[in-house]
Amino acid sequence: MSTLQLAALTYANRPAQLPLLSRLAEILAASPAVTHLMVRGSLAHGTADRLSDVDFVVGVHDAQLPAFVEALDDLMSVEAGALLPGWRDTIVADLGGVGLVFLVPDDGHLHQIDMYLVPASHAPGLRATVSTALLLEREPGPVTPEENAVAARFAAEFLARPRTCAELLIEHLVLAVLLHKRIKRGQRFIAYSEWHRLHTATKDLIKAALAPTSRFWGWYQLGEEIAVTPIGRACLGDLEVAISGPAVPVAADVDAAVERTLALVERACPEALAGLGTAIAAYRTYQELV
């Protein structure tokens, strides 16, 4: 009887994300290109709460890394039901690969899926330096120096690509999910950092839409470059509202920022919304349920 009670207790206290983690692991492991599958973060440490993300490190054969990363949006959309294409993660530490964040609905909630993809030749070293729980390990076979160089070059070029308006819109939507989590947990320092990232993404979105060939770095010369048209002045007005808000937001501030960004995109680069109408409507619904 005690064994049965213990099993029931273990089941009752398992992380709510466990079925989703299992489903995603099966999807990723189905690809022969995947050599290693590891979980890190709170799910690996046994400290997950209902807000915790699902955090994977995925080893991919060096020669196949470019093709696998380029196909990942379709895989996550079709097989896992991700709402949006992956966001190129600008927060994760550099582990020698590329990080992407997906938003995946499951059991009435929108879950953050952090996926870091590394060349298979890097995976054993990562296991020694990054705290992970191993789910899958396959022998990748020999990796030539040329294949290793291809993977390294791809990762560098992937991270250096200029971001489009659509990508910057997705960045806003993902950061808003992260911010809601920080606010609920009372993580004010991290909320401050991610709130600043959201404002920077707004600035980058305006520049990508209205000054894509700008020669100026960061926040310099915005007025001189952008405020020369009515649309530009309206967009800078949105940016002024954003940076004039509180240093650490509350949930209503984050929601207002998302709506302001969607209006800005519709005004300055409406083509970025192409094909995202249903996804954005679903995103709003899930955010209302948070």
Side-chain angles (χ1 to χ4, degrees):
M1 179 64 71
S2 59
T3 302
L4 291 175
Q5 290 174 337
L6 180 59
L9 182 64
T10 302
Y11 182 85
N13 289 280
R14 67 177 183 164
Q17 299 88 338
L18 195 58
L20 176 60
L21 184 152
S22 177
R23 180 163 66 89
L24 293 172
E26 289 179 0
I27 291 169
L28 294 167
S31 170
V34 173
T35 60
H36 298 77
L37 195 54
M38 296 166 271
V39 178
R40 63 174 181 166
S42 57
L43 283 172
H45 301 147
T47 58
D49 61 24
R50 69 177 187 85
L51 298 174
S52 295
D53 56 334
V54 178
D55 201 343
F56 284 107
V57 178
V58 185
V60 182
H61 193 286
D62 295 44
Q64 296 171 283
L65 182 67
F68 188 85
V69 172
E70 297 294 358
L72 190 57
D73 279 343
D74 288 340
L75 177 67
M76 290 297 292
S77 173
V78 173
E79 298 294 335
L83 282 189
L84 299 161
W87 168 55
R88 255 188 287 171
D89 195 341
T90 58
I91 298 173
V92 68
D94 182 3
L95 303 177
V98 298
L100 293 163
V101 177
F102 294 90
L103 300 178
V104 174
D106 183 72
D107 195 27
H109 298 284
L110 196 59
H111 292 273
Q112 174 191 338
I113 312 300
D114 293 352
M115 203 171 296
Y116 198 89
L117 299 108
V118 297
S121 57
H122 290 201
L126 281 182
R127 287 197 62 201
T129 58
V130 179
S131 179
T132 61
L134 182 66
L135 300 182
L136 172 72
E137 184 174 28
R138 292 175 178 146
E139 174 56 51
V143 176
T144 67
E146 292 77 13
E147 290 171 335
N148 185 263
V150 165
R153 186 168 57 251
F154 169 78
E157 292 174 352
F158 183 86
L159 295 174
R161 290 179 191 172
R163 288 173 296 169
T164 66
C165 289
E167 288 176 307
L168 288 161
L169 170 58
I170 291 168
E171 179 167 359
H172 280 81
L173 300 178
V174 172
L175 284 173
V177 172
L178 271 64
L179 277 161
H180 276 297
K181 180 166 60 178
R182 307 308 181 196
I183 292 165
K184 283 183 174 291
R185 287 177 171 165
Q187 296 172 315
R188 289 175 55 80
F189 293 127
I190 305 177
Y192 168 83
S193 172
E194 292 172 356
W195 189 227
H196 175 69
R197 288 180 185 275
L198 194 74
H199 298 338
T200 301
T202 302
K203 178 267 297 179
D204 290 343
L205 176 55
I206 293 169
K207 290 187 72 171
L210 301 180
T213 60
S214 174
R215 296 180 293 108
F216 297 100
W217 175 256
W219 295 76
Y220 287 95
Q221 301 293 318
L222 288 177
E224 290 80 354
E225 284 195 318
I226 305 297
V228 293
T229 66
I231 288 178
R233 289 190 288 275
C235 289
L236 288 186
D238 288 336
L239 186 59
E240 180 70 34
V241 171
I243 67 173
S244 299
V248 179
V250 297
D253 296 322
V254 177
D255 293 338
V258 168
E259 294 305 320
R260 191 165 53 243
T261 297
L262 288 169
L264 188 157
V265 169
E266 192 164 358
R267 180 195 313 126
C269 49
E271 67 279 1
L273 293 168
L276 295 180
T278 301
I280 290 172
Y283 173 91
R284 282 180 164 132
T285 299
Y286 281 109
Q287 290 299 82
E288 289 172 2
L289 297 174
V290 170

